[in-house]
Amino acid sequence: MVPSYIVPAARAVIFDGGGRILLIRRGDNKQWALPAGGMEPGESVTECMAREVWEETGLVVESSVAFAIYSEPRFTAPTRPDAQLLTVAYRVDEWGGELRTTTNETDDARWFSVDEVRGLPDLMGMYLETVEDCLRVKESGGFVVK
């Protein structure tokens, strides 16, 4: 199916001090994912990322860096395959606040080691790809455009 429209969005790969990655379990499809979502009118893509992180985890982004843009037609919204995403991905190393494990949008939130992330059977594929891209850029630099 060729997507019918494009949705600007953002997602975050959030690391704790030990190199673990924060994942949320979506309330709608019960799959693990990165904090992410579509832009709202009047906000920048960076503000979108910070808002989605806060809404889905209770954490406040203090410092972030964009490392990738995903725009290929294969990147569609999890609940809307007719919506192609134009997503900016951010690495978040500094954050504050208290982690909330459940919100209006999530059923769980947990820190996972990189190996655990790679082994999760119910992690949505585009999010695993984002984690792998983030790790590669974190180690060797550059910027990903897909």
Side-chain angles (χ1 to χ4, degrees):
M1 166 193 290
V2 175
S4 312
Y5 60 99
I6 297 171
V7 175
R11 74 179 60 125
V13 180
I14 304 171
F15 290 92
D16 72 0
R20 295 180 304 168
I21 297 167
L22 181 61
L23 297 178
I24 54 104
R25 188 169 60 213
R26 295 173 54 103
D28 57 2
N29 65 13
K30 308 304 183 201
Q31 291 187 303
W32 289 100
L34 295 169
M39 281 179 60
E40 294 181 358
E43 69 183 0
S44 71
V45 70
T46 303
E47 291 167 335
C48 169
M49 176 273 301
R51 176 184 50 76
E52 289 292 343
V53 167
W54 184 82
E55 286 177 356
E56 295 177 355
T57 71
L59 299 180
V60 177
V61 174
E62 295 176 356
S63 174
S64 65
V65 62
F67 68 88
I69 296 174
Y70 299 94
S71 65
E72 295 173 356
R74 68 187 173 99
F75 298 111
T76 59
T79 59
R80 296 291 312 262
D82 59 334
Q84 180 178 337
L85 297 173
L86 173 64
T87 303
V88 178
Y90 291 83
R91 187 184 79 231
V92 176
D93 294 313
E94 295 180 31
W95 44 268
E98 294 291 320
L99 178 63
R100 290 182 302 178
T101 56
T102 57
T103 70
N104 291 340
E105 300 178 23
T106 62
D107 289 342
D108 200 356
R110 292 189 216 160
W111 297 99
F112 292 88
S113 72
V114 171
D115 288 339
E116 289 172 324
V117 169
R118 289 177 173 145
L120 277 174
D122 53 350
L123 175 63
M124 299 172 70
M126 70 178 167
Y127 295 120
L128 179 57
E129 184 173 350
T130 300
V131 167
E132 296 293 355
D133 289 341
C134 183
L135 294 169
R136 193 168 41 260
V137 168
K138 191 174 180 183
E139 184 175 311
S140 58
F143 192 85
V144 175
V145 179
K146 294 183 177 181

